[in-house]
Amino acid sequence: MDHAAAVSLAIGACVLFSLSAAVQQRASALAPGRSGGISGVEQLMLALVRSPLWVVGAVINAIGFGVQAVALHLGSVSVVQSVMPTQLLFALVFASIAARHWPTAYDWVSGAAICGGVILLVTDDHRGGTYADVGRVALFAGCVAVVICVLLLVAHRFPPPIAAATTAVAAGCSFATTSVLLKITADRAAADGFPGLLTLPAFYGLLCTCGLGIVLTQAALAAGPLPWAMAAMTITNPTVSYVAAVVAFGASAPTLWVAVSAGALLVTGIVGLARSRSADRWTPVQPEPPGTSPERFTARR
């Protein structure tokens, strides 16, 4: 496996995913159904698919997805996913450009703490992790499905920004499952070509989890601060992917000191972003009531 190429491609995918999220959040600023959870998501998606700006963001995301697929083919799930947290730092940049307000040092430290915590966790002596056990992959996917359902059921009990972060955690779970299925699918495609995918259950599961992740991501981006949503997905996606690597691919579990250190960094970063004075500037402006002149997406000052 070419680890250097896999890491480089994964960084490129991070930039593309963060840019896509920023573009799509701008497109969703005036869309209906912005509860932060799954309530009203049908209205939201119908409005977004008609938005040229949202389509541009979707194309950028698709390119990032392809770059990530190549990275996963060249490297293991745990190696590639360990790089993905850096998209939070790129999200801070893009959110700040939109808000015309550069992140504070406190914001950078909080973002870096989250990235450091996840990277520390998933890069801890991950022996193994190349070939999947089909039965364990199915068990993992079933457990993740239950977790996603629970998160979505409780999200509507919170105000939109918190509901958006909760929904982003569910999206991270979905994308983590997508990464696992993408690894299996990419390996089969490399060996047998596209016809071999038609008889591969993981390929159809990949389509389902990818679609679900996209919908949940849009619901989260439409109502909450971009760095909050990205932080939730940044923590959840690689961490759940690493759990999958341990459960389904036979990778080794993290040592105790790494788990404790990573947990401390993650808590520090989460608290820091949650208390950031920039949060209001990062949050999409609510649409004007009917009968008034709607404003385009603007930063809160």
Side-chain angles (χ1 to χ4, degrees), residues 35-37 151 155 158-172 216 219-221 223-233 236 270:
S35 67
L151 288 170
F158 299 111
I162 305 301
T166 305
T167 304
V169 172
L216 296 179
L221 292 177
L226 177 60
W228 284 16
M230 293 298 291
M233 289 186 283
T236 305
I270 291 170

PDB file of all heavy atoms in Angstrom, residues 35-37 151 155 158-172 216 219-221 223-233 236 270:
ATOM      1  N   SER A  35     -34.991  22.825  10.382  1.00  0.00           N
ATOM      2  CA  SER A  35     -35.172  22.533  11.800  1.00  0.00           C
ATOM      3  C   SER A  35     -33.884  22.083  12.466  1.00  0.00           C
ATOM      4  O   SER A  35     -33.772  22.074  13.682  1.00  0.00           O
ATOM      5  CB  SER A  35     -36.229  21.438  11.973  1.00  0.00           C
ATOM      6  OG  SER A  35     -35.763  20.215  11.443  1.00  0.00           O
ATOM      7  N   GLY A  36     -32.912  21.666  11.653  1.00  0.00           N
ATOM      8  CA  GLY A  36     -31.684  21.095  12.187  1.00  0.00           C
ATOM      9  C   GLY A  36     -31.766  19.595  12.331  1.00  0.00           C
ATOM     10  O   GLY A  36     -30.744  18.929  12.464  1.00  0.00           O
ATOM     11  N   GLY A  37     -32.977  19.031  12.315  1.00  0.00           N
ATOM     12  CA  GLY A  37     -33.172  17.586  12.372  1.00  0.00           C
ATOM     13  C   GLY A  37     -33.833  17.108  11.093  1.00  0.00           C
ATOM     14  O   GLY A  37     -33.710  17.725  10.035  1.00  0.00           O
ATOM     15  N   LEU A 151     -30.460   8.865  17.428  1.00  0.00           N
ATOM     16  CA  LEU A 151     -30.027  10.261  17.328  1.00  0.00           C
ATOM     17  C   LEU A 151     -31.084  11.125  16.645  1.00  0.00           C
ATOM     18  O   LEU A 151     -31.368  12.247  17.080  1.00  0.00           O
ATOM     19  CB  LEU A 151     -28.709  10.341  16.557  1.00  0.00           C
ATOM     20  CG  LEU A 151     -27.467   9.821  17.280  1.00  0.00           C
ATOM     21  CD1 LEU A 151     -26.297   9.738  16.309  1.00  0.00           C
ATOM     22  CD2 LEU A 151     -27.107  10.730  18.458  1.00  0.00           C
ATOM     23  N   ALA A 155     -33.171  14.335  18.191  1.00  0.00           N
ATOM     24  CA  ALA A 155     -32.698  15.626  17.680  1.00  0.00           C
ATOM     25  C   ALA A 155     -33.791  16.687  17.699  1.00  0.00           C
ATOM     26  O   ALA A 155     -33.525  17.860  17.981  1.00  0.00           O
ATOM     27  CB  ALA A 155     -32.152  15.460  16.261  1.00  0.00           C
ATOM     28  N   PHE A 158     -34.379  19.406  20.538  1.00  0.00           N
ATOM     29  CA  PHE A 158     -33.435  20.492  20.799  1.00  0.00           C
ATOM     30  C   PHE A 158     -33.699  21.665  19.863  1.00  0.00           C
ATOM     31  O   PHE A 158     -34.306  21.510  18.799  1.00  0.00           O
ATOM     32  CB  PHE A 158     -31.996  19.999  20.598  1.00  0.00           C
ATOM     33  CG  PHE A 158     -31.600  18.878  21.501  1.00  0.00           C
ATOM     34  CD1 PHE A 158     -31.377  17.597  21.003  1.00  0.00           C
ATOM     35  CD2 PHE A 158     -31.462  19.081  22.862  1.00  0.00           C
ATOM     36  CE1 PHE A 158     -31.016  16.558  21.831  1.00  0.00           C
ATOM     37  CE2 PHE A 158     -31.099  18.048  23.713  1.00  0.00           C
ATOM     38  CZ  PHE A 158     -30.873  16.785  23.193  1.00  0.00           C
ATOM     39  N   PRO A 159     -33.223  22.880  20.221  1.00  0.00           N
ATOM     40  CA  PRO A 159     -33.304  24.016  19.296  1.00  0.00           C
ATOM     41  C   PRO A 159     -32.454  23.734  18.053  1.00  0.00           C
ATOM     42  O   PRO A 159     -31.536  22.902  18.109  1.00  0.00           O
ATOM     43  CB  PRO A 159     -32.751  25.185  20.117  1.00  0.00           C
ATOM     44  CG  PRO A 159     -31.961  24.551  21.207  1.00  0.00           C
ATOM     45  CD  PRO A 159     -32.628  23.247  21.516  1.00  0.00           C
ATOM     46  N   PRO A 160     -32.730  24.427  16.939  1.00  0.00           N
ATOM     47  CA  PRO A 160     -32.071  24.103  15.669  1.00  0.00           C
ATOM     48  C   PRO A 160     -30.549  23.949  15.710  1.00  0.00           C
ATOM     49  O   PRO A 160     -30.037  22.965  15.160  1.00  0.00           O
ATOM     50  CB  PRO A 160     -32.510  25.250  14.752  1.00  0.00           C
ATOM     51  CG  PRO A 160     -33.870  25.595  15.256  1.00  0.00           C
ATOM     52  CD  PRO A 160     -33.782  25.453  16.753  1.00  0.00           C
ATOM     53  N   PRO A 161     -29.775  24.848  16.329  1.00  0.00           N
ATOM     54  CA  PRO A 161     -28.318  24.655  16.296  1.00  0.00           C
ATOM     55  C   PRO A 161     -27.869  23.356  16.967  1.00  0.00           C
ATOM     56  O   PRO A 161     -26.980  22.665  16.460  1.00  0.00           O
ATOM     57  CB  PRO A 161     -27.790  25.886  17.050  1.00  0.00           C
ATOM     58  CG  PRO A 161     -28.856  26.915  16.889  1.00  0.00           C
ATOM     59  CD  PRO A 161     -30.137  26.146  16.945  1.00  0.00           C
ATOM     60  N   ILE A 162     -28.497  23.013  18.117  1.00  0.00           N
ATOM     61  CA  ILE A 162     -28.125  21.775  18.797  1.00  0.00           C
ATOM     62  C   ILE A 162     -28.648  20.562  18.030  1.00  0.00           C
ATOM     63  O   ILE A 162     -27.964  19.536  17.917  1.00  0.00           O
ATOM     64  CB  ILE A 162     -28.684  21.766  20.236  1.00  0.00           C
ATOM     65  CG1 ILE A 162     -28.213  23.021  20.997  1.00  0.00           C
ATOM     66  CG2 ILE A 162     -28.232  20.513  20.969  1.00  0.00           C
ATOM     67  CD1 ILE A 162     -26.720  23.146  21.088  1.00  0.00           C
ATOM     68  N   ALA A 163     -29.869  20.676  17.494  1.00  0.00           N
ATOM     69  CA  ALA A 163     -30.422  19.595  16.670  1.00  0.00           C
ATOM     70  C   ALA A 163     -29.539  19.357  15.451  1.00  0.00           C
ATOM     71  O   ALA A 163     -29.331  18.206  15.031  1.00  0.00           O
ATOM     72  CB  ALA A 163     -31.846  19.936  16.244  1.00  0.00           C
ATOM     73  N   ALA A 164     -29.006  20.440  14.882  1.00  0.00           N
ATOM     74  CA  ALA A 164     -28.131  20.315  13.719  1.00  0.00           C
ATOM     75  C   ALA A 164     -26.865  19.545  14.075  1.00  0.00           C
ATOM     76  O   ALA A 164     -26.409  18.680  13.318  1.00  0.00           O
ATOM     77  CB  ALA A 164     -27.783  21.694  13.177  1.00  0.00           C
ATOM     78  N   ALA A 165     -26.283  19.837  15.236  1.00  0.00           N
ATOM     79  CA  ALA A 165     -25.079  19.120  15.659  1.00  0.00           C
ATOM     80  C   ALA A 165     -25.378  17.647  15.913  1.00  0.00           C
ATOM     81  O   ALA A 165     -24.575  16.770  15.568  1.00  0.00           O
ATOM     82  CB  ALA A 165     -24.505  19.767  16.921  1.00  0.00           C
ATOM     83  N   THR A 166     -26.551  17.363  16.518  1.00  0.00           N
ATOM     84  CA  THR A 166     -26.947  15.980  16.760  1.00  0.00           C
ATOM     85  C   THR A 166     -27.148  15.233  15.440  1.00  0.00           C
ATOM     86  O   THR A 166     -26.722  14.080  15.290  1.00  0.00           O
ATOM     87  CB  THR A 166     -28.248  15.926  17.581  1.00  0.00           C
ATOM     88  OG1 THR A 166     -28.074  16.673  18.788  1.00  0.00           O
ATOM     89  CG2 THR A 166     -28.620  14.496  17.929  1.00  0.00           C
ATOM     90  N   THR A 167     -27.793  15.909  14.491  1.00  0.00           N
ATOM     91  CA  THR A 167     -27.996  15.309  13.173  1.00  0.00           C
ATOM     92  C   THR A 167     -26.662  15.101  12.461  1.00  0.00           C
ATOM     93  O   THR A 167     -26.477  14.120  11.733  1.00  0.00           O
ATOM     94  CB  THR A 167     -28.915  16.202  12.318  1.00  0.00           C
ATOM     95  OG1 THR A 167     -30.147  16.403  13.016  1.00  0.00           O
ATOM     96  CG2 THR A 167     -29.209  15.564  10.975  1.00  0.00           C
ATOM     97  N   ALA A 168     -25.711  16.001  12.695  1.00  0.00           N
ATOM     98  CA  ALA A 168     -24.381  15.857  12.097  1.00  0.00           C
ATOM     99  C   ALA A 168     -23.666  14.623  12.640  1.00  0.00           C
ATOM    100  O   ALA A 168     -22.916  13.960  11.918  1.00  0.00           O
ATOM    101  CB  ALA A 168     -23.541  17.109  12.363  1.00  0.00           C
ATOM    102  N   VAL A 169     -23.898  14.298  13.919  1.00  0.00           N
ATOM    103  CA  VAL A 169     -23.332  13.067  14.479  1.00  0.00           C
ATOM    104  C   VAL A 169     -23.906  11.854  13.747  1.00  0.00           C
ATOM    105  O   VAL A 169     -23.180  10.915  13.395  1.00  0.00           O
ATOM    106  CB  VAL A 169     -23.622  12.974  15.988  1.00  0.00           C
ATOM    107  CG1 VAL A 169     -23.199  11.607  16.530  1.00  0.00           C
ATOM    108  CG2 VAL A 169     -22.896  14.078  16.741  1.00  0.00           C
ATOM    109  N   ALA A 170     -25.224  11.884  13.501  1.00  0.00           N
ATOM    110  CA  ALA A 170     -25.854  10.794  12.749  1.00  0.00           C
ATOM    111  C   ALA A 170     -25.276  10.712  11.344  1.00  0.00           C
ATOM    112  O   ALA A 170     -25.038   9.615  10.818  1.00  0.00           O
ATOM    113  CB  ALA A 170     -27.367  11.001  12.701  1.00  0.00           C
ATOM    114  N   ALA A 171     -25.044  11.877  10.719  1.00  0.00           N
ATOM    115  CA  ALA A 171     -24.439  11.884   9.389  1.00  0.00           C
ATOM    116  C   ALA A 171     -23.032  11.301   9.432  1.00  0.00           C
ATOM    117  O   ALA A 171     -22.628  10.550   8.528  1.00  0.00           O
ATOM    118  CB  ALA A 171     -24.392  13.317   8.845  1.00  0.00           C
ATOM    119  N   GLY A 172     -22.282  11.619  10.491  1.00  0.00           N
ATOM    120  CA  GLY A 172     -20.942  11.061  10.632  1.00  0.00           C
ATOM    121  C   GLY A 172     -20.960   9.552  10.746  1.00  0.00           C
ATOM    122  O   GLY A 172     -20.117   8.858  10.177  1.00  0.00           O
ATOM    123  N   LEU A 216     -28.730  13.892   5.675  1.00  0.00           N
ATOM    124  CA  LEU A 216     -28.522  14.314   7.060  1.00  0.00           C
ATOM    125  C   LEU A 216     -27.540  15.482   7.139  1.00  0.00           C
ATOM    126  O   LEU A 216     -27.704  16.387   7.967  1.00  0.00           O
ATOM    127  CB  LEU A 216     -28.007  13.137   7.897  1.00  0.00           C
ATOM    128  CG  LEU A 216     -28.968  11.955   8.054  1.00  0.00           C
ATOM    129  CD1 LEU A 216     -28.327  10.856   8.887  1.00  0.00           C
ATOM    130  CD2 LEU A 216     -30.280  12.400   8.676  1.00  0.00           C
ATOM    131  N   ALA A 219     -29.402  18.685   6.285  1.00  0.00           N
ATOM    132  CA  ALA A 219     -30.243  19.114   7.403  1.00  0.00           C
ATOM    133  C   ALA A 219     -29.412  19.794   8.478  1.00  0.00           C
ATOM    134  O   ALA A 219     -29.832  20.790   9.081  1.00  0.00           O
ATOM    135  CB  ALA A 219     -30.988  17.912   7.985  1.00  0.00           C
ATOM    136  N   ALA A 220     -28.209  19.268   8.729  1.00  0.00           N
ATOM    137  CA  ALA A 220     -27.335  19.853   9.750  1.00  0.00           C
ATOM    138  C   ALA A 220     -26.756  21.187   9.297  1.00  0.00           C
ATOM    139  O   ALA A 220     -26.718  22.157  10.068  1.00  0.00           O
ATOM    140  CB  ALA A 220     -26.214  18.877  10.084  1.00  0.00           C
ATOM    141  N   LEU A 221     -26.312  21.268   8.048  1.00  0.00           N
ATOM    142  CA  LEU A 221     -25.690  22.494   7.550  1.00  0.00           C
ATOM    143  C   LEU A 221     -26.682  23.646   7.454  1.00  0.00           C
ATOM    144  O   LEU A 221     -26.306  24.809   7.608  1.00  0.00           O
ATOM    145  CB  LEU A 221     -25.071  22.245   6.173  1.00  0.00           C
ATOM    146  CG  LEU A 221     -23.857  21.326   6.113  1.00  0.00           C
ATOM    147  CD1 LEU A 221     -23.428  21.139   4.668  1.00  0.00           C
ATOM    148  CD2 LEU A 221     -22.713  21.868   6.952  1.00  0.00           C
ATOM    149  N   ALA A 223     -29.069  24.627   9.386  1.00  0.00           N
ATOM    150  CA  ALA A 223     -29.562  25.281  10.595  1.00  0.00           C
ATOM    151  C   ALA A 223     -28.511  25.559  11.647  1.00  0.00           C
ATOM    152  O   ALA A 223     -28.781  26.293  12.596  1.00  0.00           O
ATOM    153  CB  ALA A 223     -30.680  24.427  11.217  1.00  0.00           C
ATOM    154  N   GLY A 224     -27.325  24.995  11.521  1.00  0.00           N
ATOM    155  CA  GLY A 224     -26.330  25.163  12.568  1.00  0.00           C
ATOM    156  C   GLY A 224     -25.050  25.793  12.062  1.00  0.00           C
ATOM    157  O   GLY A 224     -24.824  25.900  10.846  1.00  0.00           O
ATOM    158  N   PRO A 225     -24.172  26.247  12.965  1.00  0.00           N
ATOM    159  CA  PRO A 225     -22.875  26.792  12.567  1.00  0.00           C
ATOM    160  C   PRO A 225     -22.064  25.735  11.814  1.00  0.00           C
ATOM    161  O   PRO A 225     -22.015  24.574  12.223  1.00  0.00           O
ATOM    162  CB  PRO A 225     -22.211  27.149  13.904  1.00  0.00           C
ATOM    163  CG  PRO A 225     -23.339  27.260  14.879  1.00  0.00           C
ATOM    164  CD  PRO A 225     -24.370  26.274  14.429  1.00  0.00           C
ATOM    165  N   LEU A 226     -21.434  26.127  10.718  1.00  0.00           N
ATOM    166  CA  LEU A 226     -20.649  25.179   9.923  1.00  0.00           C
ATOM    167  C   LEU A 226     -19.580  24.472  10.749  1.00  0.00           C
ATOM    168  O   LEU A 226     -19.468  23.242  10.684  1.00  0.00           O
ATOM    169  CB  LEU A 226     -20.022  25.907   8.720  1.00  0.00           C
ATOM    170  CG  LEU A 226     -19.105  25.068   7.826  1.00  0.00           C
ATOM    171  CD1 LEU A 226     -19.869  23.892   7.225  1.00  0.00           C
ATOM    172  CD2 LEU A 226     -18.502  25.938   6.719  1.00  0.00           C
ATOM    173  N   PRO A 227     -18.767  25.183  11.559  1.00  0.00           N
ATOM    174  CA  PRO A 227     -17.760  24.465  12.351  1.00  0.00           C
ATOM    175  C   PRO A 227     -18.366  23.484  13.356  1.00  0.00           C
ATOM    176  O   PRO A 227     -17.748  22.465  13.657  1.00  0.00           O
ATOM    177  CB  PRO A 227     -16.999  25.590  13.063  1.00  0.00           C
ATOM    178  CG  PRO A 227     -17.144  26.756  12.146  1.00  0.00           C
ATOM    179  CD  PRO A 227     -18.557  26.644  11.630  1.00  0.00           C
ATOM    180  N   TRP A 228     -19.564  23.775  13.906  1.00  0.00           N
ATOM    181  CA  TRP A 228     -20.201  22.829  14.820  1.00  0.00           C
ATOM    182  C   TRP A 228     -20.557  21.542  14.091  1.00  0.00           C
ATOM    183  O   TRP A 228     -20.276  20.437  14.570  1.00  0.00           O
ATOM    184  CB  TRP A 228     -21.468  23.437  15.422  1.00  0.00           C
ATOM    185  CG  TRP A 228     -21.238  24.439  16.500  1.00  0.00           C
ATOM    186  CD1 TRP A 228     -20.073  25.083  16.786  1.00  0.00           C
ATOM    187  CD2 TRP A 228     -22.206  24.914  17.442  1.00  0.00           C
ATOM    188  NE1 TRP A 228     -20.253  25.951  17.840  1.00  0.00           N
ATOM    189  CE2 TRP A 228     -21.548  25.864  18.262  1.00  0.00           C
ATOM    190  CE3 TRP A 228     -23.556  24.643  17.653  1.00  0.00           C
ATOM    191  CZ2 TRP A 228     -22.207  26.540  19.299  1.00  0.00           C
ATOM    192  CZ3 TRP A 228     -24.216  25.313  18.682  1.00  0.00           C
ATOM    193  CH2 TRP A 228     -23.546  26.242  19.491  1.00  0.00           C
ATOM    194  N   ALA A 229     -21.213  21.700  12.943  1.00  0.00           N
ATOM    195  CA  ALA A 229     -21.607  20.521  12.171  1.00  0.00           C
ATOM    196  C   ALA A 229     -20.380  19.743  11.716  1.00  0.00           C
ATOM    197  O   ALA A 229     -20.339  18.513  11.803  1.00  0.00           O
ATOM    198  CB  ALA A 229     -22.454  20.937  10.972  1.00  0.00           C
ATOM    199  N   MET A 230     -19.367  20.461  11.242  1.00  0.00           N
ATOM    200  CA  MET A 230     -18.163  19.789  10.776  1.00  0.00           C
ATOM    201  C   MET A 230     -17.412  19.128  11.928  1.00  0.00           C
ATOM    202  O   MET A 230     -16.842  18.054  11.767  1.00  0.00           O
ATOM    203  CB  MET A 230     -17.256  20.785  10.060  1.00  0.00           C
ATOM    204  CG  MET A 230     -17.826  21.314   8.752  1.00  0.00           C
ATOM    205  SD  MET A 230     -18.084  20.027   7.514  1.00  0.00           S
ATOM    206  CE  MET A 230     -16.397  19.596   7.132  1.00  0.00           C
ATOM    207  N   ALA A 231     -17.433  19.768  13.103  1.00  0.00           N
ATOM    208  CA  ALA A 231     -16.778  19.165  14.263  1.00  0.00           C
ATOM    209  C   ALA A 231     -17.463  17.858  14.650  1.00  0.00           C
ATOM    210  O   ALA A 231     -16.800  16.858  14.958  1.00  0.00           O
ATOM    211  CB  ALA A 231     -16.787  20.135  15.439  1.00  0.00           C
ATOM    212  N   ALA A 232     -18.800  17.870  14.639  1.00  0.00           N
ATOM    213  CA  ALA A 232     -19.541  16.653  14.985  1.00  0.00           C
ATOM    214  C   ALA A 232     -19.214  15.526  14.015  1.00  0.00           C
ATOM    215  O   ALA A 232     -18.968  14.379  14.429  1.00  0.00           O
ATOM    216  CB  ALA A 232     -21.044  16.943  14.974  1.00  0.00           C
ATOM    217  N   MET A 233     -19.181  15.849  12.721  1.00  0.00           N
ATOM    218  CA  MET A 233     -18.859  14.817  11.732  1.00  0.00           C
ATOM    219  C   MET A 233     -17.382  14.443  11.774  1.00  0.00           C
ATOM    220  O   MET A 233     -17.017  13.285  11.555  1.00  0.00           O
ATOM    221  CB  MET A 233     -19.263  15.292  10.336  1.00  0.00           C
ATOM    222  CG  MET A 233     -20.767  15.330  10.124  1.00  0.00           C
ATOM    223  SD  MET A 233     -21.258  15.718   8.434  1.00  0.00           S
ATOM    224  CE  MET A 233     -20.979  17.499   8.408  1.00  0.00           C
ATOM    225  N   THR A 236     -17.077  12.073  14.752  1.00  0.00           N
ATOM    226  CA  THR A 236     -17.845  10.833  14.622  1.00  0.00           C
ATOM    227  C   THR A 236     -17.341   9.952  13.492  1.00  0.00           C
ATOM    228  O   THR A 236     -17.145   8.739  13.681  1.00  0.00           O
ATOM    229  CB  THR A 236     -19.332  11.157  14.388  1.00  0.00           C
ATOM    230  OG1 THR A 236     -19.800  12.007  15.425  1.00  0.00           O
ATOM    231  CG2 THR A 236     -20.155   9.882  14.376  1.00  0.00           C
ATOM    232  N   ILE A 270     -14.358  20.401  21.837  1.00  0.00           N
ATOM    233  CA  ILE A 270     -15.821  20.530  21.750  1.00  0.00           C
ATOM    234  C   ILE A 270     -16.305  21.700  22.595  1.00  0.00           C
ATOM    235  O   ILE A 270     -17.110  22.523  22.152  1.00  0.00           O
ATOM    236  CB  ILE A 270     -16.502  19.220  22.197  1.00  0.00           C
ATOM    237  CG1 ILE A 270     -16.233  18.115  21.177  1.00  0.00           C
ATOM    238  CG2 ILE A 270     -18.008  19.425  22.368  1.00  0.00           C
ATOM    239  CD1 ILE A 270     -16.648  16.749  21.653  1.00  0.00           C
TER     240      ILE A 270
END
